[in-house]
Amino acid sequence: MVTKIILVRHGETVENAANITQGHLNSQLNDKGKEQAKSVALRLKDEKIDVCYSSDLDRCMNTAKEIVKFHPTVKIIPTKELREQAKGKYQGVKREITHAAIEKLTTPYIEWDYDGAESFIEMNQRTMTEIYKIVEENKDKTVLIVAHGGQIASVVCTVNGDNPNTERKHSSGNASLTLIEFDDNGKGEVKEFNNTKHLSSVS
């Protein structure tokens, strides 16, 4: 039996476009993000989807709602554990400020907890615990998960067995698709990563 996980990153937000660090901010899709959500929904229109889990933040929930319009029997399960990495006092500030703080680090970025919020390692542990739980509870099903860039990077790093310090090489675009298949033993394989072909008509 194979459990298929379709990972979708949320559509573009006002903060994405303005280069603002989001973290747990409950930011909203902008007009482009809404169009991206509709495009990824069309891409998944004919896919078999058994269940949908989503970060409980609006940018993911509203992306998920667009997708399940074509799957009326599928309910969205809001999941706090699928939230983006918490970034504390850096949430809501320009990314250049966040990046300046990162450049001054004397330890690996993945260990930094944004001055008392959450490190990438902690977010990865939180996310993978939830992913493996979802896989275990939905064996031989196709599961849609709508989450954030940080989650997708951490999941792909973990499944590939990559050094977590390479997480930035696993960034994915807004409303992109990533497909991972898990076998009966919970071993995953990335079949598709950061597919954005369906967004060609969104400017």
Side-chain angles (χ1 to χ4, degrees):
M1 292 188 296
V2 173
T3 303
K4 295 182 179 180
I5 301 293
I6 301 172
L7 277 167
V8 173
R9 187 184 173 198
H10 61 80
E12 185 179 275
T13 65
V14 174
E15 287 80 1
N16 283 146
N19 287 316
I20 292 173
T21 301
Q22 294 177 96
H24 284 192
L25 287 184
N26 199 23
S27 51
Q28 305 299 314
L29 300 180
N30 61 14
D31 289 342
K32 181 178 180 180
K34 292 173 183 176
E35 290 303 312
Q36 290 174 331
K38 291 176 181 178
S39 292
V40 72
L42 284 171
R43 165 63 181 80
L44 294 172
K45 178 181 177 181
D46 298 319
E47 292 285 340
K48 173 182 173 290
I49 295 174
D50 296 298
V51 62
C52 173
Y53 294 81
S54 173
S55 160
D56 63 346
L57 297 177
D58 284 354
R59 56 191 185 271
C60 289
M61 287 293 292
N62 289 332
T63 301
K65 286 174 184 177
E66 280 295 333
I67 297 171
V68 301
K69 283 180 180 179
F70 294 110
H71 305 271
T73 63
V74 175
K75 293 183 178 180
I76 302 170
I77 302 172
T79 309
K80 187 176 181 179
E81 287 75 13
L82 292 174
R83 284 187 179 188
E84 180 60 282
Q85 181 180 355
K87 296 176 181 176
K89 68 182 183 182
Y90 292 91
Q91 293 173 170
V93 305
K94 285 284 189 178
R95 285 183 192 156
E96 61 193 51
I97 296 173
T98 306
H99 291 165
I102 292 171
E103 288 175 3
K104 294 178 182 178
L105 293 177
T106 57
T107 56
Y109 164 75
I110 61 171
E111 298 175 11
W112 184 45
D113 66 359
Y114 283 82
D115 297 344
E118 183 180 37
S119 70
F120 181 86
I121 291 175
E122 291 169 331
M123 183 272 292
N124 174 259
Q125 292 171 341
R126 162 170 62 84
T127 299
M128 291 312 303
T129 297
E130 186 64 22
I131 292 292
Y132 288 131
K133 177 184 174 185
I134 290 171
V135 170
E136 181 64 27
E137 292 177 352
N138 294 280
K139 287 191 174 182
D140 204 31
K141 293 182 179 180
T142 298
V143 182
L144 170 66
I145 297 177
V146 183
H148 307 266
Q151 263 78 41
I152 296 169
S154 71
V155 172
V156 171
C157 272
T158 302
V159 170
N160 283 342
D162 295 335
N163 186 325
N165 284 300
T166 65
E167 54 89 18
R168 295 198 172 192
K169 296 181 180 179
H170 300 87
S171 62
S172 55
N174 290 113
S176 62
L177 285 172
T178 294
L179 174 63
I180 303 176
E181 293 184 354
F182 288 86
D183 63 20
D184 280 346
N185 298 316
K187 180 176 175 55
E189 181 179 357
V190 179
K191 295 290 188 179
E192 195 172 352
F193 173 66
N194 192 31
N195 185 334
T196 57
K197 293 178 182 178
H198 50 282
L199 302 176
S200 60
S201 63
V202 181
S203 58

